[in-house]
Amino acid sequence: MTSSAPPIDIGISSDQREQIAAGLGRLLADSYVLYGKTHGFHWNVTGPMFNTLHLMFMGQYTELWNALDVIAERIRALGCPAPFGGSRFAALSSIEETQGHPAALEMVRELVLGHEAVARTARSLFPLVETAGDQPTADLLTQRLQIHEKTAWMLRSLLEA
């Protein structure tokens, strides 16, 4: 006798769960591309601010790495497959990969733009999440927004005279 899993019945319709998961897939892709960019900048930063930026970028890419699992696991909890792979993430992300090796302050500027892009992606999901009554996803989005907005502010502060 084979048993099969019962259909998902968490109080959110299948269509809403799929739409939310698709939005979270875009958030996952943005976060993954920003993770890769931040880690690459950590490896390649040079100049008088090397130590400060090297350590700052390490803290940021570590936080992003840990967030990837949280986002992907929420997609799975909604009953959908989480996207993966470089080409899939590139197609879903609103963040462009960096070409070449920018100077230290250009790295900082690119990361400001990246964190703000992730914040916009997260914020864009709230209407759908609120309509569906999906409080766990709303909580995840709020946490991500707090982190990305704070990180963008801190990075931006390095660029102000």
Side-chain angles (χ1 to χ4, degrees):
M1 177 175 193
T2 22
S3 69
S4 61
I8 296 173
D9 183 12
I10 58 173
I12 302 171
S13 74
S14 176
D15 184 52
Q16 288 174 317
R17 286 187 290 105
E18 289 174 12
Q19 290 177 41
I20 293 167
L24 288 172
R26 292 188 302 276
L27 181 66
L28 182 63
D30 276 356
S31 299
Y32 194 88
V33 171
L34 184 58
Y35 158 78
K37 183 178 290 212
T38 306
H39 207 153
F41 288 173
H42 164 80
W43 292 329
N44 291 295
V45 68
T46 60
M49 294 177 61
F50 167 80
N51 197 49
T52 300
L53 292 178
H54 185 74
L55 293 173
M56 180 185 287
F57 294 164
M58 182 171 66
Q60 292 171 4
Y61 78 68
T62 301
E63 193 287 324
L64 284 161
W65 178 256
N66 291 327
L68 296 173
D69 245 21
V70 173
I71 299 164
E73 289 173 356
R74 183 62 194 153
I75 294 169
R76 295 297 296 135
L78 291 168
C80 298
F84 64 93
S87 62
R88 186 73 184 124
F89 285 147
L92 290 173
S93 181
S94 68
I95 301 171
E96 296 291 323
E97 290 191 2
T98 299
Q99 304 303 315
H101 298 90
L105 289 180
E106 180 58 23
M107 289 177 176
V108 171
R109 191 185 78 71
E110 282 198 37
L111 293 179
V112 168
L113 297 174
H115 282 280
E116 289 177 347
V118 177
R120 287 190 304 275
T121 299
R123 186 168 273 109
S124 74
L125 298 175
F126 273 105
L128 177 59
V129 167
E130 289 170 355
T131 298
D134 184 357
Q135 293 84 1
T137 300
D139 184 52
L140 182 153
L141 295 172
T142 300
Q143 291 176 36
R144 298 311 309 151
L145 278 169
Q146 289 173 337
I147 289 164
H148 291 291
E149 289 178 358
K150 181 178 181 179
T151 303
W153 157 64
M154 291 181 152
L155 288 165
R156 188 181 295 281
S157 295
L158 293 170
L159 300 173
E160 293 175 354

